[in-house]
Every structure is written in structure tokens, then in C-alpha cells.
Amino acid sequence: MLEMGLINWTLSEVMKKGFTPLTTPEIVRSSVVEKCGFQPRGANTQVYSIEGSDQCLIGTAEIPVGGIHMDSIVAESLLPLKYVAFSHCFRTEAGAAGTATRGLYRVHQFSKVEMFVLCQPEESEFYHEELIKIEEDLFSSLGLHYKTLDMASGDLGAPAYRKFDVEAWMPGLERFGEISSASNCTDYQSRRLGIRYRPSEPSSTNSKKGKGSLPPPKFVHTLNATACAIPRMIVCLLENYQQEDGSVIIPEPLRPFMGGLQIIAPKSR
């Protein structure tokens, strides 16, 4: 109930910001994985590949959502396209042997609600800030103690131009643990996926009249951000809201999504 409550509450809150809800495929072609900036093959890949095929299990909904508009030209009037997608995610966690092998912090399969934006290049920094604000509002409303980090270039994955991580206090780890990230990928993914838009106004450098005066298409910018990574959110809630008798208080925003349940109590023996 807590997992489903988190999913439905997150979707409802993000939809209020103008995002369109999606459920995504969880098997995609390897080429789409690569074009989004992930390596489907190799010794330390995080991607599960399906033997005897060119398909993979997704590690994030960012991959199939990015593939929706692959090889297309989007009308400028439709931008920004803002999606909030629910999916299961699968990760090998290669290279993480011995790191958080117990509990829910690092697992091979988990549920996640992901935000994804396609916009005009000059607007991507604005939407990056909007995504971070949405994340912070969600975590604040759940009463979590968190900090937002502007990540160094050496900590960025291949697609990201800039990335902010949010870390929340986890008493069991006795430290802050990552619960979300928000990345501005500029045109890294759109160039590989072939996602463009055609400006409504001709460029000033193209003064020819007639059909040839149509402005050339430009690549959109893509951004992605975690709205709710379910296992780590459950870790935060169970550990921060646990009482001395072992019961766990449910944060008020989640109660309507859990049938009005206010507390998770140990079953009497």
C-alpha cells in the first residue's frame, strides 16, 4: 500500500504542474538505449540485455520516453512536452559488489516515477530549475531532511550537461543517501534520437522567399528528473517515521492514497 500510495500521490502532484502521465514499455531496442547515452554491452554495463535479441530491459523510463519522438519533427507550438512516466527499472549494479547489498537501498528491480521534458534550447535551463523545484517540493511535503547538490563534471554521466542530486537523511546508513537527480542533457540525446522542431519564425539569416524560406529544424533539448524512486523513498519514510514501539507514522499527504491509513503498526502476536 505504501508503494502504490507513493506512486499515485507522486503522479497526481506532478500532473498538477502540467505533465502528461505515461506508462512505458520496459523492453526496448539496444539502439534506443545507446542513443539515450547508456551502454547496453560491456563488462560494467548497468543494462540487462536479452540473450539472442537486440533488446534490453530499461534502467529508467527516460529511455522509452525519449524514444517516443525518435526521428520526428515536433511542431514548435507543442513545446514544451512534459511527461511523468511510471515504470519498473532494472539495473545490474555492476561494479557495486559489496555496496549496500542488504535492504532496499541498492536493488536490481524497482519502481520509479520519472519526469521528462522536451523543450526549445533557450528554455532548458528554466525547465531544469522547475524540475529541481518539483523534486524539492515533493520531498518537503513528506517532511524529509534533504540537501540539493550541484554535481561536479567528473560525476556526470555521458548525456548530462548539468546535474543536481538530492540526498535525504537515512538514519540506518547514518548519512545522507541519494534519492533523486535532475539532468539537463541539452541536445546530446536529441541529436542521437533525431528529435527536432521547426521554429515558427524564419531565421534572420535566411531572407529568401517562398518554400525555401521555411526555417530549418533545430534539435530540442531534453531533461529528466526523478520524481520518486520507490525503494529509497520507502527507506526514508520507514526509518525517519518509525516510533519506539516499531510502528511507522504515514505522512499526511500519503494518507488519502492509502485508504486513510495513518500508521503502520506491527501485527499483534
Side-chain angles (χ1 to χ4, degrees), residues 87-109:
S87 75
H88 297 100
C89 304
F90 306 87
R91 300 183 184 180
T92 66
E93 295 298 348
T99 304
T101 53
R102 299 180 65 186
L104 292 173
Y105 188 81
R106 194 178 297 280
V107 290
H108 293 296
Q109 176 184 334

Side-chain angles (χ1 to χ4, degrees), residues 14 37 53 71 84 109 216 228 239 246 249:
V14 178
S53 77
D71 298 326
V84 55
Q109 176 184 334
C228 187
E239 293 186 354
I249 295 173

Side-chain angles (χ1 to χ4, degrees), residues 126-191:
F126 170 82
Y127 288 111
H128 198 191
E129 292 176 4
E130 180 184 70
L131 291 171
I132 297 163
K133 179 69 163 54
I134 291 172
E135 289 178 333
E136 292 176 338
D137 287 347
L138 291 171
F139 305 143
S140 293
S141 62
L142 292 178
L144 301 182
H145 301 279
Y146 68 87
K147 57 184 179 180
T148 304
L149 308 175
D150 188 353
M151 304 304 290
S153 298
D155 287 329
L156 304 186
Y161 156 75
R162 195 175 185 190
K163 180 168 80 102
F164 287 82
D165 280 1
V166 178
E167 295 184 350
W169 179 251
M170 298 182 179
L173 294 176
E174 297 185 331
R175 64 173 175 84
F176 285 85
E178 180 190 342
I179 57 171
S180 77
S181 65
S183 299
N184 183 355
C185 298
T186 63
D187 60 359
Y188 183 101
Q189 294 175 328
S190 62
R191 285 180 180 274

Side-chain angles (χ1 to χ4, degrees), residues 26-31 33-34 40-41 47-57:
E26 292 170 1
I27 298 176
V28 296
R29 295 195 300 273
S30 300
S31 59
V33 176
E34 289 183 284
R41 303 285 189 273
V47 180
Y48 283 108
S49 295
I50 299 174
E51 190 173 358
S53 77
D54 69 338
Q55 297 173 326
C56 304
L57 300 181

Side-chain angles (χ1 to χ4, degrees), residues 71-85:
D71 298 326
S72 66
I73 298 177
V74 180
E76 184 183 45
S77 60
L78 295 178
L79 297 177
L81 290 166
K82 300 162 72 174
Y83 297 112
V84 55

